[in-house]
Amino acid sequence: MAKPFFRLQKFLRRTQFLLFFLTAAYLMTGSLLLLQRARVALPQGPRAPGPLQALPVAAVALGVGLLDSRALQDPRVSPELLLGVDMLRSPLTRPRPGPRWLRSRNSELRQLRRRWFHHFMSDPQGPPALGPEAPRPAAHSRGTYVGCFSDDGQERTLKGAVFYDLRKMTVSHCQDACAEWSYVYAGLEAGAECYCGNRLPAMRVGLEECNHECKGDKGSVCGAVGRLSVYHVEELQPGSRKRRTAAYRGCFRLPENITHAFPDSLIQANVTVETCSGFCSQKEFPLAVLRGWECYCAYPTPQFSLRDAVDSTLCGQDPETQRLAEYCEVYQTPVQDTRCTDRRFLPTKSKVFVALSSFPGAGNTWARHLIEHATGFYTGSYYFDGTLYNKGFKGEKDHWRSRRTICVKTHESGRREIEMFDSAILLIRNPYRSLVAEFNRKCAGHLGYAADRNWKSKEWPDFVNSYASWWSSHVLDWLKYGKRLLVVHYEELRRSLVPTLREMVTFLNVSVSEERLLCVENNKEGSFRRRGRRPHDLEPFTPEMKDLINGYIRTVDKALRDHNWAGLPREYVPR
């Protein structure tokens, strides 16, 4: 008898069974609380005669907390139901007082029941806009609601600036982002996605098809799956960042065939940079070209690549003289080059599992931005970063082993983690720059700078002592265990973006046109420039830190050469 009892006792002690038992107990407790709340909310004693006997289920639902005051305003609620409400709200029906934790739990259950009831009462076949809780166009936004439109992800019309926000998306937030980039229309989709553009989508649908609430503004409509709620942007909200303006790119020689190189034009007297930039922005061209009184709109192309700038004095002549010359001034308009902004998941699972590996702070996020726009496919991540998802990295939410992304970001090292991948792009950056960038990110996020107090605290030397060795071991491990590698230096990618990016997409087995690569170069910064006050001429590295880091630089340089790769760039050499 003792032996079976001992076995049972041993079985009960197992962790998995205990977790299961605790979960079951939690669910049973919740059910009992639900039943208790229903019991104490109903009238005590014999059932009252009269209209209460004829009440529909909805009236009983109100008695147990399923129906709130907003539902009573629905014209479908009968007078008998309202009479029953008064009876159910009599003192006899008030819930008895109980412990604080029980009252709190009952409040949570009551909220859940209310949500369920409103879902139950809505007509699944009728238009959602008719219900009392249906989202409506935002009345407090400054833009004008244009309508609900069908959205085809492959041929998206609003494909300028794009961002997501799973928790705080509002109509005003989306409008401000689009206004900052000088776009006219802001489209919201699926409650959390924002798209900008200057042309309306082609297919308008019924207003009732846009029935998703904005994640950060309950009651306001933010499209639906495959549906865009489009607003006309009028002006920036108070406190928003300033609207972007045209940026001077330089003086260039005109291409041989102006008509072919410049698809649109505006010829008028006294044309200004603002006039030309506004005209080209409205047409969604990223470049505004001025020659005298002539304004042209263009994209970067192999015939007009903006790589061979000339002396700016050649463009500084009076308009009439410049009109006859063969030089022009080029300005970057606020809008994005949309030839390379379309992205999607791979249509079939990738047969080759590719990593985009780097030490933290080495520019992995920026490299992902370039790869996504060059290939047209999302990149994944070994981690999940909501900030990056909101910036447009939709692959952040995809499981890193789904093989639906072109490559997967990782900072991992070690044999087991490396051998999971079939091949990898190994991105290396100067450790001095990487350490500063990662420390900024830890202290102030992806786009901020660490405060002076952070650099002067004990936190900075501790960070260098622990992370500097990681920079070295990360490269050494990937060189040792990586199956198929492409080594890319961040500095080389900055200097020669198009040739280096072409090599990267070839490694990923993707064919890309020269126009698309030039589009990526034109949009190369994306949304990843740090904002705020940059520390003034800060030299955070002490002589002891430099000795430590320089030793790791020599080690990595030798390892690269031993594996038949070019050594580290010259600027890595100990300072």
Side-chain angles (χ1 to χ4, degrees):
M1 182 67 185
K3 189 173 182 179
F5 180 78
F6 175 75
R7 289 180 177 176
L8 177 62
Q9 187 181 29
K10 185 177 180 181
F11 176 75
L12 290 174
R13 288 178 179 175
R14 292 181 180 176
T15 304
Q16 294 181 351
F17 182 82
L18 287 176
L19 290 174
F20 174 79
F21 177 80
L22 291 174
T23 303
Y26 176 81
L27 295 174
M28 292 176 62
T29 304
S31 301
L32 291 174
L33 290 173
L34 179 64
L35 292 174
Q36 183 194 33
R37 175 60 183 158
R39 181 178 64 82
V40 300
L42 290 172
Q44 304 297 322
R47 185 174 298 177
L52 182 61
Q53 295 179 354
L55 289 180
V57 176
V60 180
L62 181 139
V64 295
L66 292 176
L67 186 60
D68 62 5
S69 60
R70 291 176 296 181
L72 298 180
Q73 300 173 5
D74 195 320
R76 293 175 291 180
V77 179
S78 64
E80 289 80 8
L81 175 58
L82 298 177
L83 177 60
V85 168
D86 293 335
M87 298 178 66
L88 287 173
R89 285 177 174 167
S90 65
L92 291 175
T93 66
R94 292 174 184 169
R96 292 192 294 264
R100 181 177 301 176
W101 66 267
L102 180 59
R103 294 198 300 270
S104 175
R105 176 65 178 166
N106 288 340
S107 177
E108 294 178 8
L109 293 171
R110 186 161 56 253
Q111 295 295 330
L112 291 174
R113 287 195 297 270
R114 284 176 178 172
R115 294 179 187 174
W116 172 86
F117 179 74
H118 288 305
H119 175 72
F120 176 79
M121 287 293 292
S122 62
D123 184 3
Q125 297 180 352
L130 296 177
E133 297 297 320
R136 296 181 175 86
H140 55 272
S141 64
R142 297 197 175 190
T144 304
Y145 186 63
V146 179
C148 183
F149 294 82
S150 176
D151 176 51
D152 184 354
Q154 299 302 319
E155 293 295 333
R156 194 183 302 277
T157 305
L158 301 180
K159 55 182 181 179
V162 176
F163 74 96
Y164 315 114
D165 198 329
L166 292 172
R167 295 183 300 171
K168 301 178 182 178
M169 177 62 74
T170 65
V171 175
S172 297
H173 188 24
C174 181
Q175 286 180 335
D176 284 348
C178 295
E180 182 189 349
W181 288 87
S182 295
Y183 286 108
V184 176
Y185 297 108
L188 295 106
E189 181 174 337
E193 302 177 8
C194 175
Y195 302 91
C196 307
N198 286 334
R199 291 176 295 163
L200 283 174
M203 185 178 297
R204 187 189 293 264
V205 297
L207 294 178
E208 68 278 2
E209 296 191 30
C210 288
N211 51 24
H212 282 203
E213 285 187 327
C214 302
K215 295 294 185 181
D217 190 7
K218 299 300 182 184
S220 295
V221 62
C222 277
V225 177
R227 296 292 182 266
L228 280 171
S229 295
V230 179
Y231 292 81
H232 188 281
V233 178
E234 294 181 358
E235 59 184 43
L236 285 168
Q237 301 282 354
S240 303
R241 290 195 296 270
K242 293 182 179 180
R243 189 184 295 268
R244 297 174 185 241
T245 57
Y248 181 64
R249 292 290 300 270
C251 180
F252 297 87
R253 186 183 297 273
L254 284 169
E256 294 182 0
N257 190 339
I258 295 180
T259 305
H260 181 265
F262 302 152
D264 213 331
S265 62
L266 172 68
I267 312 297
Q268 71 176 41
N270 300 321
V271 66
T272 63
V273 174
E274 290 74 18
T275 304
C276 185
S277 174
F279 173 77
C280 294
S281 295
Q282 183 65 30
K283 302 285 186 177
E284 294 194 358
F285 285 100
L287 299 180
V289 183
L290 274 171
R291 185 181 72 160
W293 305 126
E294 301 170 356
C295 168
Y296 299 97
C297 305
Y299 296 108
T301 62
Q303 295 76 31
F304 193 62
S305 62
L306 304 185
R307 295 217 181 104
D308 300 316
V310 298
D311 190 345
S312 59
T313 58
L314 296 173
C315 293
Q317 306 170 23
D318 63 273
E320 185 60 30
T321 304
Q322 187 179 342
R323 188 181 66 83
L324 301 175
E326 51 186 30
Y327 300 100
C328 60
E329 294 178 312
V330 179
Y331 293 86
Q332 185 82 33
T333 67
V335 302
Q336 287 185 312
D337 191 335
T338 56
R339 296 175 299 168
C340 57
T341 55
D342 56 306
R343 289 163 290 168
R344 59 193 175 98
F345 289 104
L346 293 172
T348 58
K349 288 188 176 182
S350 174
K351 296 180 180 179
V352 181
F353 196 29
V354 186
L356 176 61
S357 179
S358 74
F359 175 77
N364 199 304
T365 299
W366 181 60
R368 290 176 66 188
H369 165 77
L370 299 177
I371 290 172
E372 287 195 4
H373 284 75
T375 64
F377 297 114
Y378 290 117
T379 59
S381 177
Y382 189 80
Y383 323 95
F384 171 73
D385 190 327
T387 302
L388 295 183
Y389 179 85
N390 290 345
K391 289 292 183 181
F393 289 98
K394 211 165 188 176
E396 282 287 319
K397 284 187 63 181
D398 207 51
H399 191 276
W400 67 278
R401 300 193 75 167
S402 70
R403 293 179 180 256
R404 297 200 309 153
T405 54
I406 194 67
C407 62
V408 176
K409 163 190 173 178
T410 181
H411 299 312
E412 302 299 309
S413 54
R415 180 172 184 172
R416 178 176 172 273
E417 287 75 11
I418 293 172
E419 290 184 345
M420 291 188 299
F421 295 94
D422 301 317
S423 58
I425 297 174
L426 179 59
L427 183 64
I428 305 175
R429 187 182 186 184
N430 188 318
Y432 288 99
R433 300 286 186 182
S434 294
L435 291 169
V436 169
E438 178 61 9
F439 191 70
N440 278 324
R441 187 196 67 81
K442 281 184 170 294
C443 296
H446 286 280
L447 301 177
Y449 290 101
D452 290 342
R453 66 178 181 275
N454 298 122
W455 298 104
K456 296 175 181 177
S457 69
K458 190 175 181 295
E459 183 181 3
W460 168 241
D462 290 344
F463 174 84
V464 172
N465 289 332
S466 60
Y467 273 64
S469 60
W470 181 12
W471 176 86
S472 173
S473 63
H474 180 272
V475 177
L476 297 178
D477 282 356
W478 279 92
L479 290 175
K480 183 176 181 180
Y481 301 117
K483 300 174 185 177
R484 176 173 169 261
L485 289 181
L486 173 66
V487 176
V488 175
H489 296 287
Y490 174 89
E491 292 77 12
E492 187 64 26
L493 185 59
R494 276 284 183 190
R495 277 193 303 266
S496 305
L497 190 145
V498 171
T500 308
L501 186 57
R502 186 187 295 112
E503 186 179 6
M504 293 168 68
V505 297
T506 301
F507 181 83
L508 294 171
N509 198 28
V510 178
S511 299
V512 178
S513 67
E514 191 69 17
E515 281 79 7
R516 187 162 186 122
L517 289 175
L518 291 172
C519 171
V520 177
E521 184 181 40
N522 202 41
N523 293 342
K524 64 181 179 181
E525 297 302 338
S527 303
F528 307 103
R529 277 193 176 277
R530 295 190 182 275
R531 298 189 179 96
R533 184 178 63 86
R534 182 190 296 270
H536 49 282
D537 299 328
L538 180 67
E539 176 50 71
F541 298 98
T542 63
E544 293 78 13
M545 293 179 183
K546 291 181 181 180
D547 290 340
L548 177 69
I549 296 171
N550 291 343
Y552 292 131
I553 289 176
R554 295 187 189 97
T555 301
V556 170
D557 182 71
K558 183 178 182 301
L560 285 170
R561 296 180 189 278
D562 290 344
H563 286 80
N564 299 320
W565 291 99
L568 294 173
R570 298 184 67 179
E571 57 260 40
Y572 285 42
V573 175
R575 314 193 282 182

